[in-house]
Amino acid sequence: MRILLNIICLLLVSIHALTVFADQYQSNELLESKGKTKQAIKSISELESELSSLTDDYAKDSTARYLARHYAQKNTQESIKKAIEYYLISLNGKGLSVYAQQATMLELLALYFQQKNYTEFIRGYDRYQQLKGVPSPQLSIKKMLAYYHLDKKNEALKIANGLYKEQKRSQIVLELNDLKQILYVFFHTEDFLNAAHVQQLIISIDDHSGEQWLRLSKLHLRNNKPDQAAEVLLVALQKGLAFEQEDLLLMCDLLSKGGNPFLAARLMQQLLNEYYVDQTVENLDRLFRYWYMAAEIDKAAKALKTTLKYDDSTQRYLDLSELYYQLQDWKNMNLTIKEACTWPLKDKYVSRANLLLGISELKLNKEEQAIKAFYNATMISGKIKEALAYLHYLNVDVSDTRRYEQITGVCAPEKVKFN
């Protein structure tokens, strides 16, 4: 009977204990769903209050590091500030091994850089080296950026050069993002030559990005290497990479402004031929300007003639006839100016049109028609002086006022043709 009673008592005690444990577990689970258990919150508070009274170096420094990590994880402005304070307490003690100090310093450096506290980051970096720590390339890149943001560009450039040379000698391996950071410093310190070298490394990793090829092309322009700039862009196009039209047109403009209109024209011609850019009058005008600036007058004339499909204004016809004049292509000059005059001419174009007509007629040995056109050119403001010069050359009596009564012929003004 006594044995039975003992067994019953044990069962009741066990049930009670399980109930208490279950209640405690449920309570803690609810607290954990809010982020921290009651016990954990209490332990942080206790650790902070007991930290200063700890006499064991290891206990004190490891506790400070634990508190630092706790506040760093909260990632608020106030908690980061407390984390840094505890990291410094931990590092200023003598309790941690050198390896633990190295790891702790790396954590502190991450916070300094995150908070843009670049001065302290650089000091911490130097202390990390004093602890026999070997900085990773990524940590060195952060030091480079820290110097750059502190406007110490020479120091930043020195680190960038060192990292690039180590990468080139295969002493370190830099990832794509690392190279982009080094490129950033080279570019913004105007070391465009090394920037181009780094950009080539970036392309070797990411050669399917049109943006990267375009950037390399622009860097070659910065280094006054237009041939290489154009070649890079053409290679990228041959690889089938897509570019925004604005970027391609900008590249052509940059080539032209950089003193290489011939390359600009050649590139623009290919872009138009292969439909990388639209066949618009604006783009064809670009092509015309490039060829003209390159003194390729025949190609300029061809480009300008193509624009007439989109804009057959009198001005364009007159410009084209002047190109034929430079080419001494008298037949096409004559045909072009007569085509321009098939529509009624505004007064502002009459003198110029008749002068050009007169020159082409003269060169085609049609002296009578030439004289008539030159007379017409002298009867309205524009090219009077030039027309008179031709009339004097032809020994024509310019005092014959009967010839000045009315402009007639192919290139008559608008009001005459409608009367």
Side-chain angles (χ1 to χ4, degrees):
M1 184 68 178
R2 177 176 290 180
I3 292 172
L4 180 61
L5 288 172
N6 286 338
I7 292 171
I8 292 170
C9 287
L10 284 171
L11 287 171
L12 290 172
V13 170
S14 298
I15 292 169
H16 177 71
L18 288 169
T19 303
V20 171
F21 176 77
D23 290 342
Q24 185 179 15
Y25 175 79
Q26 184 180 19
S27 175
N28 286 341
E29 188 177 65
L30 290 171
L31 285 168
E32 286 172 353
S33 69
K34 296 179 181 179
K36 288 285 183 182
T37 66
K38 184 177 180 180
Q39 184 179 2
I41 294 171
K42 182 180 179 183
S43 67
I44 292 295
S45 177
E46 287 178 345
L47 286 172
E48 287 187 290
S49 62
E50 294 171 0
L51 181 63
S52 60
S53 63
L54 293 174
T55 56
D56 180 78
D57 287 341
Y58 174 76
K60 183 175 182 179
D61 296 346
S62 60
T63 299
R65 183 173 65 174
Y66 175 82
L67 290 169
R69 289 171 174 171
H70 165 76
Y71 282 110
Q73 288 176 355
K74 288 192 171 186
N75 200 31
T76 65
Q77 200 65 32
E78 189 60 33
S79 69
I80 295 297
K81 184 179 178 182
K82 293 189 73 172
I84 290 173
E85 290 175 2
Y86 283 124
Y87 271 125
L88 289 174
I89 291 172
S90 175
L91 287 165
N92 290 333
K94 301 178 181 179
L96 298 181
S97 70
V98 67
Y99 303 107
Q101 285 183 314
Q102 290 173 7
T104 303
M105 178 55 75
L106 287 175
E107 294 173 19
L108 177 56
L109 286 174
L111 287 185
Y112 280 147
F113 196 82
Q114 176 190 332
Q115 294 298 302
K116 300 181 180 179
N117 192 342
Y118 300 123
T119 300
E120 291 304 321
F121 176 89
I122 293 170
R123 288 176 184 166
Y125 182 100
D126 294 339
R127 185 173 176 184
Y128 176 70
Q129 288 186 303
Q130 291 168 7
L131 293 169
K132 309 300 181 184
V134 180
S136 66
Q138 290 70 32
L139 192 64
S140 296
I141 286 172
K142 286 183 178 179
K143 186 181 183 183
M144 172 192 73
L145 293 173
Y147 273 128
Y148 177 81
H149 291 305
L150 289 171
D151 204 27
K152 295 182 178 180
K153 295 182 179 179
N154 287 334
E155 289 88 342
L157 192 57
K158 184 178 179 180
I159 295 174
N161 272 302
L163 288 166
Y164 168 66
K165 289 177 181 177
E166 288 183 82
Q167 165 79 10
K168 192 176 179 180
R169 293 193 293 261
S170 301
Q171 294 176 327
I172 58 173
V173 177
L174 296 173
E175 303 296 331
L176 181 61
N177 190 59
D178 301 331
L179 291 169
K180 287 180 178 179
Q181 301 298 332
I182 295 172
L183 172 67
Y184 176 87
V185 169
F186 276 138
F187 184 84
H188 288 282
T189 53
E190 298 187 359
D191 186 348
F192 300 122
L193 185 60
N194 274 324
H197 293 327
V198 173
Q199 185 60 33
Q200 286 175 324
L201 289 176
I202 290 174
I203 287 178
S204 69
I205 299 173
D206 184 22
D207 68 339
H208 296 297
S209 169
E211 179 185 354
Q212 303 297 357
W213 287 85
L214 185 65
R215 183 177 292 120
L216 178 58
S217 188
K218 290 179 180 178
L219 284 169
H220 282 318
L221 280 180
R222 291 270 191 169
N223 288 312
N224 197 28
K225 296 179 178 179
D227 290 357
Q228 292 184 31
E231 183 180 349
V232 163
L233 199 57
L234 289 172
V235 169
L237 290 171
Q238 289 165 4
K239 289 171 68 70
L241 299 180
F243 294 93
E244 295 292 332
Q245 284 199 50
E246 291 78 8
D247 291 328
L248 296 173
L249 295 173
L250 174 62
M251 178 56 63
C252 291
D253 285 342
L254 290 174
L255 282 168
S256 179
K257 291 176 182 177
N260 286 273
F262 181 84
L263 279 176
R266 194 180 70 176
L267 178 58
M268 188 68 188
Q269 188 73 69
Q270 183 165 342
L271 294 175
L272 286 164
N273 291 346
E274 299 182 17
Y275 299 98
Y276 288 112
V277 297
D278 295 333
Q279 298 249 355
T280 63
V281 67
E282 292 81 10
N283 289 340
L284 288 166
D285 277 343
R286 267 191 170 91
L287 180 62
F288 157 68
R289 289 196 303 273
Y290 299 152
W291 283 131
Y292 189 79
M293 291 171 64
E296 296 285 341
I297 306 302
D298 56 334
K299 294 182 175 66
K302 185 178 179 181
L304 185 57
K305 185 175 182 179
T306 306
T307 68
L308 296 175
K309 299 176 183 178
Y310 306 91
D311 178 11
D312 58 354
S313 63
T314 302
Q315 178 71 44
R316 289 183 182 277
Y317 277 102
L318 297 180
D319 290 343
L320 180 57
S321 68
E322 288 197 356
L323 291 180
Y324 287 135
Y325 171 78
Q326 294 181 47
L327 292 168
Q328 297 185 11
D329 185 348
W330 313 121
K331 183 178 179 181
N332 274 319
M333 179 184 178
N334 187 262
L335 290 172
T336 300
I337 201 66
K338 285 179 178 178
E339 188 172 355
C341 293
T342 56
W343 293 279
L345 285 179
K346 295 183 183 298
D347 286 353
K348 63 180 180 179
Y349 297 124
V350 171
S351 183
R352 181 185 175 195
N354 276 285
L355 174 66
L356 292 170
L357 177 63
I359 294 171
S360 64
E361 297 283 30
L362 182 62
K363 295 297 183 180
L364 291 171
N365 297 315
K366 298 179 180 179
E367 188 172 314
E368 186 177 345
Q369 291 93 320
I371 292 172
K372 183 177 182 180
F374 289 139
Y375 263 114
N376 286 339
T378 63
M379 294 168 64
I380 190 168
S381 62
K383 299 292 182 179
I384 298 175
K385 186 182 296 185
E386 293 88 338
L388 285 172
Y390 272 103
L391 289 171
H392 287 307
Y393 170 76
L394 294 170
N395 295 316
V396 175
D397 181 10
V398 296
S399 63
D400 185 357
T401 58
R402 291 174 298 172
R403 291 183 177 272
Y404 298 99
E405 293 176 357
Q406 186 176 8
I407 299 174
T408 58
V410 177
C411 293
E414 187 173 27
K415 56 188 178 183
V416 172
K417 289 195 175 184
F418 281 112
N419 286 339

